[in-house]
Amino acid sequence: MTGLIGVFVEAWGEVRVHKARVVLSLVGVFLAVFAMTSVTGLGLIVAQVQQEQSERSTGRSATIQLSGFDQTTGAPAPAAEWDAAVGQLLDRYGVEAYATVAYRDALFRLPGGTQQLQVQQVSPSYGPLHRLQPVQGRWFREGDRTSLSPTLVVNEFFLDMLGGGDLTAPRTVVLGGARPVTATVVGVLRDGYRSPTVYRIDHTGLDDARATAAADQAAMMYGPPSVELWVPSAQVDEVMAALQADLPLLLPGISANVYRADDPSLEGTIDTLRLAVRAVGAVALLLGGLGVFNVGLMAVRQRIREIGIRRSFGATSARVFGAIMLESVVATVLAGLAAVALAVAVVDNLPIADLFNDGVPIADLPGFPVEAAVEGLLAAAGVGALAGLLPALLAVRVKVIDAIRF
Amino acid sequence: MRGLDGRGRGRGEGGPPERVGSQLQLTAVGREVRLPSGDLLEVLSGIDLTIGAGEHVSIVGRSGSGKSTLLNVLGLLDAPTSGEYLLDGQPTDRLRGRRRARLRGECFGFVFQQFNLLPRRTAVENVAAPLLYARGREFLGRTRRALEVLDQVGLAARADQVPERLSGGEQQRVAIARALVRRPRVVLADEPTGALDVETGQAVMALLAEATAAQGAALVTITHDLAVAALADRRLRLDHGRLTPMDAEAPGARTAEVVA
């Protein structure tokens, strides 16, 4: 036990006596670990931003889009039959995360005049699947489907068209046409677009069969309503093939249109980005580590006589090795801790959304990636061990007699 | 070569106890080193030497005669290439690594010509340094023990000074305290006065002899200085790797010579 304490006492004595050298090597490690951890942490956040940006428009990985149309007329399948058939398929394949989307035109009576705008009619589940989080108000919920007033979620540009301001009070807009209806804006998105974006709840208490004709016309222009299914990437091909085969069996005469909506190459791109970020971090660490290594090596050369003297006191090879390694590892881990703490503080306080996402809030902006912090600490310990290894081996190989005369 | 048997340092009644059984015995010890050319150089040859407990032995010789090599062999810093070296009757040729290092720390104290104090450590830290490799109470009480030995060499008041602020004589006294701090059986001194002026050297040498005697440790001194050698109970000469007793030489021969 006292032997172990002795190693620590000896290592601490070295650190205390050689303050300048230790601080010099710690500065190197500190900067290296700080650079590596910051770059890695920031890179992983940027990768997350990239992923979100892509998923906001095309859906999460992997999203299958399913639609069906009459092979003869091109019209969508009757709504009730379509819903029943899709429900059956979702149950069969155990798909729990899905959303519906249909593109429609609508007339909006705005303060500046009536305008025809494209509207996406979506189910409440569309928001989470596309990482849509309003900056004001809320996203759709199930209760909106029975409301007599269609609910809308719009972007900030559309809100400006409505007269601007905040969504502190209910905002309404009249949807024109033969049967005007007053819609209620329940949420505002920040998407950075300089054109209006309008989401409408897919169903309201006013919907009836009279809407069918208009829906059919829209379907001819924009395509039939579709269902988005969120499935594991590994099963995407299998599910697509099954849908393609099974839908016509449930809906005779209806042809299934199945394709993958998200970008399959995104995962690879993000992985490459993460890899590149880690590579940059590793290079930063390597450069810092070289500095520590040099200082350590020089220090041992300067301490050869001292090592010889200690050997004459009875210091074993293992003791000399242990003391030099411990000195190196403990010092670098302490420097690493400080560097990781600073990196976390800096990266966490960066305006990530402003810098990398045009000011659009990031839905799942992660805190400082734990993996980056852990990597930073492990790297610090690794650098300490590597930087200490050669000097320690050199110290052990020193011939005592030569060392004393050094 | 005849055996150079040791005899204990004479100590009167009431003196420190004799340390019986702690003796070094070299029999036909040789040490060869390989030169860069590939040739073998015989540094020590047929050394027969016995050093008893508490004995004071001096070894003189010219530069390159093998004095330091002999001291290193005695102190387990080096190993002979032939012959036998017994420490307390136990052969040392099989001692390796950890055991060898531990035995070196426990049995021997070293005093070097250039003092070899650890820079930027205070006198007390320097003296306590060998106790970092001790165990138990010896380790835990290292500072107290170091102060005690510093007091013995008259440097208690300078305990907190770093070597850079001590005179040569003071540094060597710190080195002597360091050599004695683990209560070694043998103190090996390599030119202990070589870096000091005559007067300081005499004082340091007297202190070294007195302090080792007080602890009952044997003292082996390697020196060029015949005056220093004369302080020993037994004086030996090393010439071309061979050891002979100085007393065996013709009376008066080379007595005034400083072997250089």
Side-chain angles (χ1 to χ4, degrees), chain B residues 19 106-107 138 145 148 179-185 215:
Chain B
R19 297 181 67 159
E106 288 167 8
C107 295
E138 206 182 2
R145 168 67 182 156
E148 184 183 307
L180 293 169
V181 76
R182 289 192 75 177
R183 298 183 177 87
R185 298 173 190 183
Q215 288 205 1

Side-chain angles (χ1 to χ4, degrees), chain B residues 170-257:
Chain B
E170 287 174 327
Q171 288 189 51
Q172 195 60 305
R173 281 153 69 189
V174 172
I176 290 168
R178 186 178 65 183
L180 293 169
V181 76
R182 289 192 75 177
R183 298 183 177 87
R185 298 173 190 183
V186 182
V187 173
L188 301 170
D190 188 358
E191 303 282 5
T193 60
L196 303 173
D197 61 67
V198 175
E199 198 173 326
T200 307
Q202 284 173 347
V204 163
M205 199 54 223
L207 174 69
L208 177 61
E210 184 187 341
T212 50
Q215 288 205 1
L219 174 61
V220 180
T221 309
I222 279 180
T223 181
H224 287 91
D225 190 342
L226 293 180
V228 169
L231 294 172
D233 304 326
R234 191 152 54 104
R235 294 168 293 281
L236 306 171
R237 177 185 299 280
L238 192 63
D239 197 11
H240 293 98
R242 294 183 175 276
L243 200 61
T244 55
M246 282 182 71
D247 299 340
E249 295 183 4
R254 306 173 78 175
T255 48
E257 177 189 359

Side-chain angles (χ1 to χ4, degrees), chain B residues 139-159:
Chain B
F139 169 82
L140 296 172
R142 61 189 181 282
T143 305
R144 187 169 43 80
R145 168 67 182 156
L147 286 169
E148 184 183 307
V149 186
L150 269 179
D151 190 39
Q152 283 173 18
V153 298
L155 281 179
R158 307 280 279 160

Side-chain angles (χ1 to χ4, degrees), chain A residues 159-182:
Chain A
L159 191 67
D160 286 342
M161 291 168 74
L162 263 182
D166 294 332
L167 199 67
T168 48
R171 301 290 287 270
T172 57
V173 59
V174 175
L175 302 184
R179 291 172 180 271
V181 60
T182 301

Side-chain angles (χ1 to χ4, degrees), chain A residues 35 69 397:
Chain A
F69 56 90
R397 290 170 64 89

